């Protein structure tokens, strides 16, 4: 049964992710309607065969915007994770490998970043960088750094006493080579898990920022922003929230399932 | 041992909860229980307590410091000036009961109303009037609080009831700076406490202000107009979310609130809906010092391509009045009708004008909008789609309100923007502020000699009929020059309980509670 | 003792760093508090006079040093936007946020603990798999959408609930509950999803340990095995987890207060950031950080008291 559950995680997780990736690829070439073209007399139409998710307050096709929104989601997620992983691995690696006071300084700084509830830091950083896809990703990337740095650091601390590291040191391999060529591949699965969780968290955080009116800005379709817009019509057109809300939930779910599956695969002892 | 620790934690959590609940009991407001007490006491009579929802906190309660229209919306119930603005944009005598203007328009002689007392029980004296103006001008030691009286040469007290104001230059609009909006009369006896404990002569007196929650006022029993006001207590409840406000109206938590246009159908059966043309000017405008917006053809082309009716329909659910210049029909005969139809959507003509200006293939530009209200980004999105049709490629930049003010409004570092200009009771200010080159608020950087001349001439003109002619001409110029894409004066839809009467609609933001009552 | 002192020192360092980060962010934040507050109607005279009065023309680092000095005397300074002491504002908003947060915490404890035990006992049964998937879903829902759904399906249909605003406990306990339960649920649901899994995992870990097998072999009833022995030992990690979610619950209130229009700390924070109200932002951020860091500190200490090996980490 347990094995079966693990497989479910893997199958379901990758299925969801592939569907969304497929949506994103398709959206580059085709959407049923132009994502931005307005048809104000036909605003807020309920889902129908013509518009399967209905139309928004400008009469734009919600389904097309959900499709296009997957681009925003993946760009924000990927950029956030790239920034988080790059700096996280760098900081965590150095802290873990070098140790001593550098470790202390780096990690205390990371602690401070983590002590901020993420959303507060995101609010302040977005105020600094301004809204928009890239700026939101930078802000969320900075927030993702500490958790990845922690994972990396503990990995490096464990590995640096390993025999292969001692051996490399003895034959005079340069430190940065040991760090990134020898140790890093050994802890890559932990980092991948942390990164996929960071991806999921970035999705939720982007949605939250956009909900507060600070994240991705129009006319870029963003699921979080669509939810915010939908809230104004919550009572009269409740169906408006389903598509963007469902899209966020599903994609995040897929990422969580996948990260669980990866963790189970690399660590047979853990039971998700 | 462990078990004990666990239970200890639980008990701790409960204690914290209990304390939080209790501390709340000490600090929470007590209006509720008071209301209940009064409700039972006067069960026979209708309780004259009203709860009015407004969007935001006031910036200041001190009327000389407040600048936000949202503040005046509330505090004008506590304060009065020498003159009182009326619903049609005219003035009547307030704390001044009569006045005379000299032939040359330089000397104004006022006599002050007798028998008026401040909320602290002190009678209104001429010293308070002098104190008020000196405080505004920074003459009695404090910071200068207003630039409105730079043209005031001197104030001379003639006797206990009469004083004279002498101007440096004639200004037919001078009386408009003597309302509570710009010079509320405050008592000298309250010096230093005008913000913490505001005191005026208005129909309602200050009780309490809880930031983020509410502003409570009570009836001024000694109000100088007999029989007014009717209400005993007025509470302004701060609630920024329009959607939640509608829920609160339905649930009976508030008695009056603005209702978003698309939700009128939900409440119109069980509540009164009053439409207020709030005299605001919703515009898309340009930085007219920058190319290509310095070219009138480009401005007109943009004006012709924007679908104003689409904006009115989608953003305001149709509840807005089209306009053709800064002036709204709310201003009565100052308003020049017909201009709203000049720039009917005409894509072909727009393209032609653009070609004449040397941009047959359009150009790239950016529209900077504030995020503090979604209407701006909505208008921006419609503008982007409309302008695409004539080849203009517009990028939307959404910024926070503070940044919009700094960059666009004060910094003038922008290409296009959209905003609504706040309504004012004075026709002169509506046309002059924001637009004339003499005005510091001219963030369009509109520069037109004839317009400036008209606005200078009207100040010297004392006859109302001739003033109106000048104002009409000014509106024509703004329209011809396409100083901005004038979209609409959007209505504020007030939903109120059906037993409320006496709500009035002003050409500026003011929830006048003076004549409001529950029947 | 040395461990506690070291932890305490780290706590102070973390708080100081958070304060410096906030300060640094404000150093480069575009936008001016006075202009934002006074809006379009203000003329330069009014802007200058207010700026002088508030001492905002001084360099920010001077203002910061003043703020630090004030902190040691318990004075958090005055809010720019509201012209009143930051501490007064905090005190007014605190009951709302604290009530929502503690209610959410209680809901999490009341649901996650029994659920975790239940599932751990039924290990390898189908319900385990189902529950795991359901909880993943709970974690994946954006909290504000969950809030909207609760408004739509519970708030609109059950008369008891108010879907926006706050009624103080002092006015009516029933009223307070009617405004607080839905927001608390909104925060609690994703947290239950995460935390019940921790409970389950730590109980499962205990079950596999030798002592449990020994007790079992002695023939004690299963109930006693689970509640008396396993639960007792599993409490350590569980306690830690509940310490950790405090931070998330507090952060969760920020969004949820927007959805349900609750006048709490989170709303105040968003207002203060948009108005560039430096003293107020510092005050709120400090308050939240100190709470979070302090709770973690207490949990850490408790942990080390229970299991001295922790200190060696």
């Amino acid at each position: 049964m347990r094995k079966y559950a693990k497989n479910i995680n893997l199958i379901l997780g990758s299925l969801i992710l592939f569907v969304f990736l497929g949506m994103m690829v398709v959206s580059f070439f085709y959407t049923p309607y132009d994502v931005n073209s307005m048809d104000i007399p036909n605003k807020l139409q309920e889902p129908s065969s013509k518009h399967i998710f209905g139309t928004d307050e400008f009469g734009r096709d919600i389904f097309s915007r959900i499709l296009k929104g997957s681009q925003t989601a993946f760009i924000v997620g990927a950029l956030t994770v790239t920034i988080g992983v790059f700096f996280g691995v760098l900081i965590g690696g150095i802290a873990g490998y070098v140790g001593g006071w550098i470790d202390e300084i780096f990690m205390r700084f990371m602690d401070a970043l983590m002590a901020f509830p993420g959303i507060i830091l995101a609010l302040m950083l977005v105020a600094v960088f301004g809204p928009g896809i890239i700026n939101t990703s930078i802000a969320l990337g900075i927030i993702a750094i500490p958790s990845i740095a922690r994972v990396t650091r503990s990995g490096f601390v464990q590995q640096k006493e390993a025999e292969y590291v001692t051996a490399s040191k003895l034959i005079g391999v340069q430190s940065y080579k040991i760090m990134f060529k020898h140790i890093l591949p050994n802890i890559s699965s932990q980092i991948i898990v942390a990164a996929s969780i960071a991806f999921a968290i970035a999705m939720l955080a982007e949605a939250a920022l956009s909900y507060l009116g600070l994240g991705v800005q129009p006319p870029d379709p963003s699921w979080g922003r669509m939810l915010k817009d939908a809230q104004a019509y919550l009572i009269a057109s409740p169906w408006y929230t389903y598509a963007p809300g469902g899209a966020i939930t599903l994609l995040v779910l897929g990422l969580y399932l996948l990260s669980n599956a990866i963790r189970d695969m690399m660590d047979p002892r853990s039971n998700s | 041992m462990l078990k004990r620790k666990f239970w200890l934690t639980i008990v701790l959590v409960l204690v914290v909860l209990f304390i939080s609940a209790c501390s709340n009991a000490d600090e929470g407001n007590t209006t509720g229980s008071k209301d209940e007490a009064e409700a039972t006491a006067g069960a026979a009579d209708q309780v004259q307590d009203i709860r009015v929802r407004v969007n935001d906190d006031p910036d200041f309660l001190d009327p000389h410091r407040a600048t936000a229209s949202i503040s005046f919306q509330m505090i004008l119930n506590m304060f009065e000036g020498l003159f009182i603005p009326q619903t049609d944009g005219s003035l009547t005598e307030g704390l001044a009961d009569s006045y005379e203007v000299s032939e040359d328009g330089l000397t104004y002689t006022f006599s002050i109303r007798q028998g008026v007392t401040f909320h602290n029980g002190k009678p209104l004296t001429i010293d308070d009037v002098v104190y008020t103006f000196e405080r505004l001008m920074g003459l009695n030691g404090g910071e200068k609080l207003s630039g409105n009286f730079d043209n005031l040469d001197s104030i001379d007290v003639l006797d206990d009831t009469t004083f004279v104001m002498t101007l440096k230059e004639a200004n037919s609009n001078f009386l408009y700076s003597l309302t509570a909006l710009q010079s509320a009369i405050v008592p000298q006896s309250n010096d230093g406490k005008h913000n913490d404990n505001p005191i005026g002569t208005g129909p309602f007196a200050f009780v309490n202000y809880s930031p983020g929650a509410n502003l409570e006022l009570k009836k001024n029993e000694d109000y100088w107009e007999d029989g007014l006001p009717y209400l005993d207590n007025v509470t302004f409840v701060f609630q920024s979310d329009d959607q939640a406000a509608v829920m609160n109206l339905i649930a009976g938590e508030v008695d009056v609130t603005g209702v978003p246009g698309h939700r009128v159908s939900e409440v119109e059966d069980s509540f009164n809906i009053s439409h207020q043309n709030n005299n605001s000017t919703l515009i898309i405008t340009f930085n007219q010092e920058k190319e290509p917006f310095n070219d009138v053809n480009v401005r007109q082309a943009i004006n012709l391509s924007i679908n104003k009716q689409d904006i009115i329909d989608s953003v305001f659910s149709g509840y807005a009045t089209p306009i053709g210049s800064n002036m709204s029909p709310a201003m009565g005969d100052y308003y020049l009708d017909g201009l709203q139809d000049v720039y009917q959507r005409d894509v072909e003509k727009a393209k032609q004008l653009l070609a004449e200006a040397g941009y047959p293939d359009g150009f790239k530009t950016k529209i900077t909008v504030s995020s503090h209200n979604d209407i701006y980004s909505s208008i921006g999105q419609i503008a982007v789609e409309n302008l695409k049709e004539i080849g203009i490629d517009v990028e939307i930049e959404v910024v926070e309100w503070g940044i919009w003010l700094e960059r666009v409004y004060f910094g003038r570092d922008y290409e296009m923007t959209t905003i609504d200009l706040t309504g004012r009771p004075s026709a002169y200010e509506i046309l002059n502020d924001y637009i004339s080159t003499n005005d510091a608020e001219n963030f369009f950087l509109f520069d037109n000699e004839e317009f400036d001349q008209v606005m200078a001439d009207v100040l010297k003109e004392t006859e109302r009929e001739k003033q109106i002619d000048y104002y009409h001409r000014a509106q024509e110029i703004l329209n011809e020059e396409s100083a901005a894409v004038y979209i609409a004066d959007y209505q504020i839809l007030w939903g109120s309980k059906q037993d409320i009467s006496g709500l009035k609609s002003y050409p500026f933001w003011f929830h006048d509670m003076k004549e409001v009552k529950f029947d | 003792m040395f461990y506690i002192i070291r932890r305490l020192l780290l706590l102070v360092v973390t708080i100081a760093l958070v304060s410096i980060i906030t300060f640094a962010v404000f150093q480069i934040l575009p936008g001016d508090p006075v202009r934002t507050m006074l809006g379009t109607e203000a003329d330069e005279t009014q802007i200058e006079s207010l700026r002088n009065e508030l001492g905002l023309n001084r360099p920010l680092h001077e203002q910061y040093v003043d703020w630090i000095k004030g902190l040691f005397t318990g004075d958090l300074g005055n809010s720019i936007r509201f012209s009143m002491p930051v501490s007064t504002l905090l005190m007014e908003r605190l009951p709302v946020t604290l009530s929502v947060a503690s209610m959410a915490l209680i809901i999490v404890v009341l649901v996650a603990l029994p659920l975790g035990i239940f599932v751990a006992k039924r290990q390898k049964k189908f319900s385990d798999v189902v529950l795991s998937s359901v909880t993943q879903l709970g974690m994946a829902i954006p909290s504000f959408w969950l809030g909207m759904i609760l408004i739509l399906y519970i708030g609109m249909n059950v008369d008891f609930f108010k879907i926006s605003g706050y009624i103080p406990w002092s006015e009516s306990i029933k009223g307070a509950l009617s405004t607080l339960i839905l927001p608390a649920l909104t925060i609690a649901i994703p947290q239950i999803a995460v935390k019940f899994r921790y409970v389950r995992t730590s109980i499962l870990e205990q079950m596999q340990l030798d002592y449990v097998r020994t007790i079992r072999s002695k023939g004690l009833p299963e109930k006693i095995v689970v509640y008396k022995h396993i639960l007792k030992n599993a409490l350590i990690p569980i306690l830690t987890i509940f310490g950790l979610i405090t931070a998330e619950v507090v952060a969760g209130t920020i969004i949820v207060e927007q959805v349900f229009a609750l006048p709490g700390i989170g709303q105040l924070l968003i207002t203060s950031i948009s108005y560039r109200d430096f003293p107020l932002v510092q005050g709120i951020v400090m308050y939240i950080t100190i709470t979070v860091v302090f709770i973690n500190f207490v949990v850490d200490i408790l942990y080390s008291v229970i299991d001295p090996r922790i200190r060696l980490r």
Side-chain angles (χ1 to χ4, degrees), chain C residues 99-109 183-185 187-188 192 245 249:
Chain C
S99 306
V100 177
S102 3
M103 269 177 73
L105 220 59
I106 289 173
I107 295 175
V108 174
V109 175
L185 262 181
I187 300 172
I192 290 171
I245 64 168
V249 167

Side-chain angles (χ1 to χ4, degrees), chain A residues 143-162:
Chain A
I143 294 161
I145 294 173
S147 61
I148 291 172
R150 275 196 174 179
V151 170
T152 315
R153 177 185 170 274
S154 65
F156 268 77
V157 169
Q158 277 169 18
Q159 299 280 327
K160 78 174 173 188
E161 309 299 341

Side-chain angles (χ1 to χ4, degrees), chain B residues 358-404:
Chain B
Y359 300 96
D361 304 319
F363 51 88
K364 274 179 95 89
T365 185
K366 190 157 80 173
I367 184 164
T368 309
V369 302
S370 167
S371 64
H372 76 288
N373 188 326
D374 284 338
I375 64 172
Y376 306 114
S377 60
S378 298
I379 293 166
Q381 292 186 67
I382 294 173
V384 167
E385 286 303 300
N386 288 161
L387 290 172
K388 204 188 270 172
E389 289 179 48
I390 61 166
I392 302 178
D393 179 12
V394 192
E395 177 199 339
I396 304 185
E397 180 189 35
V398 187
V399 296
E400 284 176 273
W401 176 231
I403 295 174
W404 187 89

Side-chain angles (χ1 to χ4, degrees), chain A residues 4 21 32 38 81-82 95 124 167 174 235 246:
Chain A
Y4 179 57
L21 277 169
M38 297 177 176
V81 169
T82 310
M124 299 207 313
Q174 282 154 311
I235 310 297

Side-chain angles (χ1 to χ4, degrees), chain B residues 207-227:
Chain B
V207 176
N208 181 45
Y209 166 51
S210 314
N214 59 35
L215 171 68
E216 295 168 57
L217 309 181
K218 63 167 194 239
K219 183 180 192 170
N220 174 6
E221 300 286 353
D222 302 321
Y223 189 60
W224 54 271
E225 269 188 77
D226 284 334

